[in-house]
Amino acid sequence: MSERSDQSSGKPTLALVGATGAVGTVMREIISNRVDVYGEIRLVASARSAGKVLPVRGEDVVVQALTAEVFDGVDIAIFDVPDEVSAEWVPIAAGRGAIVIDKSGTFRMNPEVPLVVPEVNPGDARNRPLGIIATPNCTTLSMMAAMGALHAEYGLRELVVASYQAVSGAGVAGPARLYDEVEALAGDRTVGQAAGDVRKVLQNKLGDVESPFPAPIAFNVVPWAGSLKDDGWASEEIKLRNESRKILGIPDLKVSATCVRVPVVTTHSLAVHATFEREITVADAHRVLEAAPTVVLMDDPGSGVYPMPIDVVGTDPTYVGRIRQALDFPNTLDLFVCGDNLRKGAALNAAEIAELIAAEFAGAVA
Amino acid sequence: MSERSDQSSGKPTLALVGATGAVGTVMREIISNRVDVYGEIRLVASARSAGKVLPVRGEDVVVQALTAEVFDGVDIAIFDVPDEVSAEWVPIAAGRGAIVIDKSGTFRMNPEVPLVVPEVNPGDARNRPLGIIATPNCTTLSMMAAMGALHAEYGLRELVVASYQAVSGAGVAGPARLYDEVEALAGDRTVGQAAGDVRKVLQNKLGDVESPFPAPIAFNVVPWAGSLKDDGWASEEIKLRNESRKILGIPDLKVSATCVRVPVVTTHSLAVHATFEREITVADAHRVLEAAPTVVLMDDPGSGVYPMPIDVVGTDPTYVGRIRQALDFPNTLDLFVCGDNLRKGAALNAAEIAELIAAEFAGAVA
């Protein structure tokens, strides 16, 4: 593939598609702060955003409109766009020779597309017959580095998961809505104490401004994420099951998930009940997770040490705490995981995959 | 027992101990709005609150200080006070002849004290050798009416629970703290996006004002409720296990719970993964729950119908929705339950027990 790189240095040209979105913004920041393995970096967005000037890697870059030609000479393209945009444009970019890392749900379960978490299954990234690599849903990703490390030693068999998902998982409109609602409700020290009163205040103050959520999110939790699938399941819950199975390489992994949105700006949390093939103690889990790259153990509840969104947001690792041996279930741990859904849950994972690919270019030159 | 009642009508004298607290306030309101089965009602609180005048049943009642004598002539005493106050005073009240309904954790697991949810095990209330009846922890209570109904037909075997607990579960200081934090953070449309920024703003604006929570709760979720028990478990998680077993009469019920506080004023929510002895479908669960007294089914996610705190708060039932047949676990449902932790989760359950006892008085007279 090195023949595609414009750089004699072996540094690949990178395109960021969806550079102006919630994840795209974090992606530019992450790429600017990690080891620089790229030649040219192109920023690509919808025609609406074309012409904007945005910083990446300390340079001001003019955003280009999404066209087929924008991928000419591109070695690696990271897509963070809605599913239907990926469905149309990812094959076009791949057809022009770019290796595409796609954040959308479109290709994740395609058997010819690897679904990659570099800490768990980096080797899968090399087997990409379509030139496309998918990166998982942010809720799944928030726990994968930790669960992958435990699986490697103890053999994961079952997962029962309840999520506490941040509003930024719904894109830039999510935090905007939460801030709007909090401003509208602040100062009223009785609100949230009678059925429907939060809805009334928001209706009065925000009117019919559209929300990305199906219900008020301030002073509330909303047990719904995604679209309706068969038999009452939400798409986010099905994704967590299917994607966990594919990433971990456990086709018969038993999974039940309930996905719930909470009034947190950024960082997804998960309560995980995990059953393994082999006996596992809290000490075993501590040993494995302390050694796992990109995982941080925060597990001393007697001293108030456990992961929480406000302490995790803006940082890269997966944080794990509240690890307990289940009292009534053999070979089972209960634990609590937090990960920044825009970083490890999205942009960081894509950047890490891009670096795996960039290393192939460097290797080809060397 | 009718000889203790001052009323020839057979209406027992009731004492509310802890009448000024979060639950006590709701208790006075609930008793005022239900069928009036009591003779005299005495309000009792700490010496600090004695002399206050508070309304109950449309009358202004002067709060009396907690003394042994205050229980003379009392037939039923409902205690909502801290564990250590119950430990000291419940036996004194029972010793003076009152039947005590205690909301604290002190007596719940005492084999001589029944732990009662009227929808589930009303008969247990008659077997009270110490004259004491305990009412469960609010988190356990939030799901008991629903789980009890399902257990009665399908035989519950296992529960994996993750909670979304409201701040009022920590008493009146809980909502006060959440309102304080929301006011301090409102208007800042970047807060919650960098590690520790919420802590900094609150430190600047609220200083060292004491919080009932171990960490900021606005824009956060805190995976901790109660005190540290063996092996990293929180007391609230252990209570949910032990109390569910006792109420449902399933000594070997398998339970794992993770308790998490969320920025909701009032109403606890639970994501429940429940395994039964017999095969159970979503239609089966709908049929059982639609018929269950005090349970409301809200389960049409395609139309945005599922239980949420802002719609449940201030009402009596247990609401159940998001019922799904587990895809990988036999005889298992995943579901979401909401209940007002001050009403069904506390005051209402105690009031319902008091009514069971009052009916004994009425029966004895009749």
Side-chain angles (χ1 to χ4, degrees), chain B residues 9-87:
Chain B
S9 66
K11 287 189 166 184
T13 294
L14 175 71
L16 298 183
V17 185
T20 58
V23 174
T25 302
V26 174
M27 178 68 78
R28 284 186 285 111
E29 187 224 315
I30 284 177
I31 284 181
S32 304
N33 287 300
R34 291 178 69 92
V35 177
D36 182 11
V37 295
Y38 307 106
E40 183 189 349
I41 296 182
R42 297 183 194 170
L43 303 183
V44 181
S46 63
R48 198 178 64 243
S49 296
K52 274 190 186 171
V53 177
L54 292 174
V56 65
R57 222 173 30 176
E59 302 158 22
D60 284 338
V61 177
V62 179
V63 176
Q64 301 181 59
L66 181 56
T67 62
E69 294 69 35
V70 87
F71 297 106
D72 289 339
V74 168
D75 301 294
I76 305 172
I78 299 177
F79 272 70
D80 179 59
V81 295
D83 287 0
E84 64 278 13
V85 180
S86 275

Side-chain angles (χ1 to χ4, degrees), chain B residues 3-364:
Chain B
E3 67 277 14
R4 285 199 52 77
S5 175
D6 295 338
Q7 267 65 27
S8 58
S9 66
K11 287 189 166 184
T13 294
L14 175 71
L16 298 183
V17 185
T20 58
V23 174
T25 302
V26 174
M27 178 68 78
R28 284 186 285 111
E29 187 224 315
I30 284 177
I31 284 181
S32 304
N33 287 300
R34 291 178 69 92
V35 177
D36 182 11
V37 295
Y38 307 106
E40 183 189 349
I41 296 182
R42 297 183 194 170
L43 303 183
V44 181
S46 63
R48 198 178 64 243
S49 296
K52 274 190 186 171
V53 177
L54 292 174
V56 65
R57 222 173 30 176
E59 302 158 22
D60 284 338
V61 177
V62 179
V63 176
Q64 301 181 59
L66 181 56
T67 62
E69 294 69 35
V70 87
F71 297 106
D72 289 339
V74 168
D75 301 294
I76 305 172
I78 299 177
F79 272 70
D80 179 59
V81 295
D83 287 0
E84 64 278 13
V85 180
S86 275
E88 180 179 353
W89 287 94
V90 164
I92 293 171
R96 299 239 162 185
I99 296 162
V100 179
I101 300 160
D102 183 46
K103 185 73 199 72
S104 85
T106 306
F107 300 98
R108 286 181 197 145
M109 297 314 297
N110 183 325
E112 293 192 287
V113 174
L115 182 64
V116 175
V117 179
E119 293 89 337
V120 181
N121 60 342
D124 289 0
R126 289 192 166 266
N127 181 20
R128 46 178 194 252
L130 305 183
I132 304 170
I133 299 166
T135 176
N137 166 279
C138 56
T139 311
T140 309
L141 256 178
S142 298
M143 66 171 177
M144 264 310 114
M147 299 320 297
L150 293 169
H151 170 58
E153 276 206 44
Y154 292 92
L156 190 64
R157 298 302 308 138
E158 303 178 7
L159 282 176
V160 181
V161 176
S163 76
Y164 303 72
Q165 295 183 222
V167 296
S168 64
V172 288
R177 178 69 193 186
L178 176 60
Y179 290 132
D180 284 348
E181 292 187 1
V182 164
E183 280 180 47
L185 295 163
D188 180 342
R189 297 180 73 92
T190 64
V191 78
Q193 300 184 31
D197 66 353
V198 167
R199 290 184 187 274
K200 263 181 223 151
V201 171
L202 295 181
Q203 179 61 36
N204 286 343
K205 296 208 180 173
L206 302 180
D208 296 321
V209 176
E210 208 180 330
S211 169
F213 306 111
I217 186 65
F219 289 138
N220 201 20
V221 299
V222 179
W224 191 255
S227 57
L228 182 64
K229 295 295 175 184
D230 290 346
D231 303 320
W233 289 92
S235 56
E236 192 98 342
E237 295 158 351
I238 298 296
K239 286 176 185 175
L240 192 143
R241 173 175 178 256
N242 293 342
E243 295 178 17
S244 295
R245 290 174 160 195
K246 184 167 178 177
I247 297 160
L248 296 167
I250 318 172
D252 60 349
L253 182 67
K254 295 182 177 186
V255 183
S256 267
T258 298
C259 288
V260 180
R261 192 80 63 183
V262 297
V264 162
V265 180
T266 292
T267 293
H268 288 352
S269 305
L270 302 170
V272 180
H273 176 83
T275 301
F276 297 87
E277 278 168 28
R278 289 179 279 289
E279 192 181 343
I280 182 167
T281 65
V282 171
D284 292 332
H286 281 188
R287 178 182 49 76
V288 169
L289 295 172
E290 273 172 345
T294 81
V295 174
V296 172
L297 186 67
M298 287 187 78
D299 195 12
D300 183 5
S303 306
V305 175
Y306 26 73
M308 291 183 285
I310 58 162
D311 297 321
V312 161
V313 58
T315 72
D316 288 346
T318 299
Y319 296 80
V320 189
R322 295 298 328 279
I323 304 177
R324 292 146 290 158
Q325 199 158 17
L327 296 170
D328 303 317
F329 299 86
N331 303 353
T332 300
L333 298 177
D334 290 281
L335 47 88
F336 194 75
V337 186
C338 288
D340 182 317
N341 51 297
L342 299 180
R343 299 180 75 90
K344 183 60 207 174
L348 178 62
N349 198 67
E352 289 169 343
I353 298 171
E355 289 166 12
L356 288 179
I357 308 303
E360 296 176 16
F361 281 81

Side-chain angles (χ1 to χ4, degrees), chain A residues 34-118:
Chain A
R34 291 178 69 90
V35 177
D36 183 11
V37 295
Y38 306 106
E40 183 189 348
I41 296 183
R42 297 183 193 170
L43 302 183
V44 181
S46 64
R48 200 178 63 242
S49 296
K52 273 190 187 170
V53 177
L54 293 173
V56 65
R57 222 173 32 175
E59 302 157 22
D60 283 338
V61 176
V62 179
V63 176
Q64 301 182 57
L66 180 56
T67 63
E69 293 69 34
V70 86
F71 297 105
D72 288 339
V74 167
D75 300 295
I76 305 172
I78 299 178
F79 272 69
D80 179 58
V81 295
D83 287 0
E84 64 278 12
V85 180
S86 275
E88 179 179 354
W89 287 93
V90 163
I92 292 171
R96 299 239 162 184
I99 297 162
V100 178
I101 300 160
D102 184 46
K103 184 74 198 72
S104 84
T106 306
F107 300 98
R108 285 181 197 145
M109 297 314 296
N110 183 325
E112 294 192 285
V113 174
L115 182 63
V116 175
V117 178

Side-chain angles (χ1 to χ4, degrees), chain A residues 194-216:
Chain A
D197 65 354
V198 166
R199 290 183 187 272
K200 263 182 223 151
V201 172
L202 295 181
Q203 179 61 35
N204 287 342
K205 295 209 180 170
L206 302 180
D208 295 321
V209 177
E210 210 180 326
S211 169
F213 307 110

